[in-house]
Amino acid sequence: MKNKFFRMKFFLNFKIRDWKKAQSFCFLTFFFWIITGICFSAQPQKSKEPVLKIGLVKNLGEIDIKIPFGGDLRDIYGRKAKIFKNGDDFHWSLSAEVAFLNQQAKSKNRKQKKFEGFIGKKFYIISRGPLTFKGKSYQGIFLLFFKNEGVQIINFVRLEDYTKGVLRGEIGSLAPIETLKTQAILARTYGMANLKKHGSDGFDLCASEHCQVYLGASAERPSITQAVDSTRGIVMGYGSQLASPMYHSTCGGYTTSNDEVYGGKAVPYLRRVKCDYCSKGINYRWTRLIPNDLLKKRLASEKIFFNRIYSATVESPAQLDRVKNVVIVTDRGRFSVKGTTFRRIFSLPSSTFMVSGLSEDNSKLALRADLQVPLASKQGKTSFEIIPVLADLSKINGKDPAGFIIASRNGLKRIARPKGGWKVIIAGVQSNFSRKSIPEKGLDIKSPGRVLLNKGQSTGEALLRIIGRGYGHQIGMCQSGAIEQGKLNWSYRRILPFYYHGVCLMRLRY
Ligand SMILES: [Zn+2]
Ligand SMILES: [Zn+2]
């Protein structure tokens, strides 16, 4: 009461002439509050560990979730709908529920308590330990959203558990420990920087490559646990902000700036970096051969139609650099396909490549070869019999072979490459060749016969030979390079700034 009275008195005694004093008092108070507020917020505060919502599946017609440690099923108001004992299963099927509801609607027993069904509702499965779904175990809680199309599962998981569930799918558990720590910091930072990436779908991140591959608790390994635990809460920042990192498998010599790949604003820490640490990796350089048939089929999906391709070139700033467009000249005209589109439709490892030209599809030529053998005719003229042959091309590997094995009905024979190439292959047959006298051991190459390769069959069977570098979008850290740096005992404090210039490390306290 005394205090209240005092405050009232102070208020009543307040006069207009004190207004200026009051103004400066208010200003000072406000200023003090701002300053202390800033200082206070600059202090690392201990808070709750963030929980991420990871979309596991959607539109599933049937689910079977194992609850090894028991728990319960709760509605969105927290009311328990079902209690699970250790080892219980939760099974649900859309068709079974629909059938049951239909049957119930027809039933005349109105006094019987009606089953309302799950469709249109959300339930949580809360357990004392990991939940198992499709053979994988997951930490945290499952949110099940039952819809007419099926059920959606969202895994509510703490940031550190999420990070542990990401490492195996993104880099494996066998990388050097410092590389794993680097990847843990990136996975954690990516998770925090991309909350609401799938906001319209009702969760934060998906569990696939689109966001980060998340395999749950089953994917944890001692090395992963060690890497995540020893970097607990550490995230990468730029200035005072959380960085939004990107990383990829292999850069193939140098990484790429973010705007060169996706356009948009240039991010200062996602610039091109020279990296030869990945040169031992399998995707440092790669080759792909695209047969004409596949070329036609896949480009038809981009509304490009032709029968034969005459030439292919790439538009890129330098050799083996990011391809802006692939230009193809065909019997139906000239077409330009975006480098990223070309990469997608032919599943190329990256969009940094060059076209080394067209080459003939030797496998197809050889497989269609016919062996033409002379037969003595009654009139003394020579006639020919055509025997289809098969070529064993398993050792060719896309290179123009110096020779190959023909498996005819007469046995196996190695055929050397003729000077003029593979269009006509000289083979040999015995001069007294007849069907009945074919030797078991095969053909005699001393007496020439001919393996004819129909020219009409070989044309149009062109292969587009593509040579490229790197695997992935090539922005940010090159994982193959970081693995080699880890082997050289580089710490994560050295690996991260190598790929992301000007970044700092921050620790979330929880
Ligand atoms: Zn995603
Ligand atoms: Zn690299």
Side-chain angles (χ1 to χ4, degrees):
M1 277 306 284
K2 197 184 171 187
N3 270 346
K4 197 179 172 188
F5 175 75
F6 172 77
R7 267 194 246 123
M8 278 181 72
K9 201 176 171 188
F10 176 80
F11 180 75
L12 290 171
N13 285 344
F14 194 83
K15 290 176 184 167
I16 295 294
R17 61 189 157 85
D18 294 330
W19 181 244
K20 284 225 159 139
K21 271 188 199 168
Q23 237 182 347
S24 55
F25 172 76
C26 284
F27 177 75
L28 282 172
T29 311
F30 180 69
F31 188 69
F32 180 74
W33 177 72
I34 290 284
I35 291 292
T36 50
I38 287 172
C39 293
F40 183 67
S41 64
Q43 290 293 316
Q45 286 182 64
K46 206 161 181 171
S47 56
K48 274 192 175 172
E49 185 178 344
V51 173
L52 274 57
K53 289 180 263 178
I54 312 299
L56 298 185
V57 288
K58 63 174 185 178
N59 299 346
L60 270 196
E62 195 168 354
I63 50 162
D64 192 23
I65 297 167
K66 289 190 171 43
I67 304 125
F69 300 92
D72 44 69
L73 184 75
R74 295 186 198 183
D75 67 12
I76 53 167
Y77 304 107
R79 294 179 299 213
K80 286 182 188 176
K82 192 174 167 56
I83 292 174
F84 301 112
K85 295 195 292 293
N86 288 4
D88 272 0
D89 276 11
F90 175 76
H91 183 87
W92 178 83
S93 140
L94 178 67
S95 55
E97 178 168 325
V98 171
F100 185 83
L101 290 174
N102 287 342
Q103 199 184 16
Q104 188 178 254
K106 284 177 199 163
S107 165
K108 287 172 186 169
N109 186 356
R110 292 181 188 281
K111 283 182 187 169
Q112 196 179 16
K113 199 187 170 194
K114 300 263 177 179
F115 169 66
E116 291 176 356
F118 287 103
I119 297 170
K121 293 178 191 143
K122 287 178 183 175
F123 286 91
Y124 294 94
I125 296 185
I126 297 169
S127 172
R128 290 180 282 276
L131 297 162
T132 309
F133 172 64
K134 283 194 172 179
K136 290 191 191 109
S137 72
Y138 294 89
Q139 297 284 5
I141 291 169
F142 274 7
L143 167 64
L144 310 177
F145 190 5
F146 299 91
K147 303 176 189 180
N148 289 323
E149 305 80 42
V151 67
Q152 177 184 29
I153 304 183
I154 297 169
N155 180 200
F156 286 53
V157 60
R158 288 176 199 273
L159 180 59
E160 295 301 313
D161 287 334
Y162 168 73
T163 309
K164 286 174 189 170
V166 163
L167 253 60
R168 183 111 183 270
E170 288 292 348
I171 201 162
S173 59
L174 302 174
I177 189 67
E178 284 300 317
T179 312
L180 287 175
K181 285 184 196 173
T182 313
Q183 184 67 58
I185 294 167
L186 290 176
R188 189 183 289 118
T189 312
Y190 185 96
M192 286 305 288
N194 288 282
L195 295 173
K196 307 282 175 238
K197 186 171 176 180
H198 282 275
S200 57
D201 301 314
F203 50 89
D204 295 321
L205 300 131
C206 69
S208 77
E209 243 177 53
H210 174 261
C211 292
Q212 294 192 113
V213 176
Y214 167 64
L215 302 171
S218 337
E220 287 181 29
R221 292 292 179 275
S223 58
I224 290 174
T225 311
Q226 187 195 341
V228 176
D229 288 348
S230 63
T231 59
R232 182 177 169 84
I234 299 180
V235 288
M236 194 170 81
Y238 186 81
S240 59
Q241 304 284 312
L242 190 68
S244 184
M246 296 179 87
Y247 57 89
H248 62 277
S249 169
T250 308
C251 77
Y254 43 94
T255 69
T256 308
S257 303
N258 72 301
D259 46 319
E260 279 180 43
V261 183
Y262 297 116
K265 226 173 141 187
V267 178
Y269 52 87
L270 298 177
R271 302 289 86 204
R272 173 171 287 210
V273 172
K274 186 170 167 40
C275 156
D276 269 328
Y277 291 91
C278 55
S279 59
K280 289 178 192 161
I282 49 166
N283 284 307
Y284 185 73
R285 295 286 178 269
W286 47 262
T287 304
R288 294 287 183 279
L289 291 166
I290 307 174
N292 194 62
D293 289 353
L294 189 68
L295 204 61
K296 278 199 305 193
K297 198 175 147 191
R298 297 278 166 84
L299 287 171
S301 68
E302 299 298 310
K303 308 266 183 292
I304 294 173
F305 303 99
F306 62 92
N307 290 316
R308 284 189 60 190
I309 180 168
Y310 297 127
S311 74
T313 46
V314 295
E315 291 174 354
S316 58
Q319 202 176 50
L320 267 187
D321 207 344
R322 190 149 296 277
V323 172
K324 288 198 172 72
N325 294 301
V326 178
V327 179
I328 56 165
V329 179
T330 73
D331 57 343
R332 296 269 193 98
R334 187 177 180 277
F335 301 99
S336 179
V337 188
K338 268 188 166 182
T340 45
T341 308
F342 204 81
R343 180 194 171 195
R344 176 176 50 79
I345 59 177
F346 294 108
S347 306
L348 300 178
S350 72
S351 52
T352 43
F353 57 84
M354 59 188 204
V355 175
S356 78
L358 298 166
S359 59
E360 271 181 351
D361 185 350
N362 288 321
S363 63
K364 288 202 171 153
L365 285 174
L367 284 168
R368 291 180 183 196
D370 290 327
L371 183 65
Q372 195 176 31
V373 293
L375 290 171
S377 70
K378 283 171 191 167
Q379 289 82 24
K381 288 180 184 171
T382 305
S383 65
F384 292 87
E385 186 186 39
I386 293 173
I387 301 170
V389 292
L390 290 172
D392 176 7
L393 295 161
S394 57
K395 288 169 191 151
I396 290 176
N397 287 332
K399 287 177 191 157
D400 196 5
F404 60 69
I405 308 294
I406 284 184
S408 77
R409 67 179 67 163
N410 310 310
L412 295 176
K413 206 75 204 170
R414 187 172 191 279
I415 308 292
R417 179 188 170 178
K419 279 185 181 172
W422 283 113
K423 282 187 181 167
V424 176
I425 301 168
I426 305 299
V429 290
Q430 286 182 322
S431 52
N432 58 348
F433 180 87
S434 76
R435 278 194 133 180
K436 283 174 190 164
S437 64
I438 296 168
E440 286 294 317
K441 61 183 169 61
L443 303 171
D444 178 3
I445 57 166
K446 282 173 194 160
S447 321
R450 296 171 78 201
V451 174
L452 296 179
L453 294 164
N454 188 329
K455 221 178 171 183
Q457 288 173 331
S458 70
T459 52
E461 299 295 350
L463 286 172
L464 194 61
R465 192 185 293 266
I466 295 175
I467 296 169
R469 66 168 177 90
Y471 185 27
H473 53 52
Q474 294 154 307
I475 306 169
M477 188 182 82
C478 159
Q479 290 173 310
S480 308
I483 288 172
E484 294 305 316
Q485 291 169 344
K487 286 180 192 166
L488 297 169
N489 291 323
W490 284 33
S491 77
Y492 64 84
R493 291 174 189 280
R494 190 175 170 192
I495 299 172
L496 284 170
F498 178 87
Y499 291 106
Y500 309 95
H501 291 179
V503 292
C504 60
L505 294 174
M506 312 193 275
R507 192 189 287 272
L508 304 172
R509 287 183 29 102
Y510 37 74

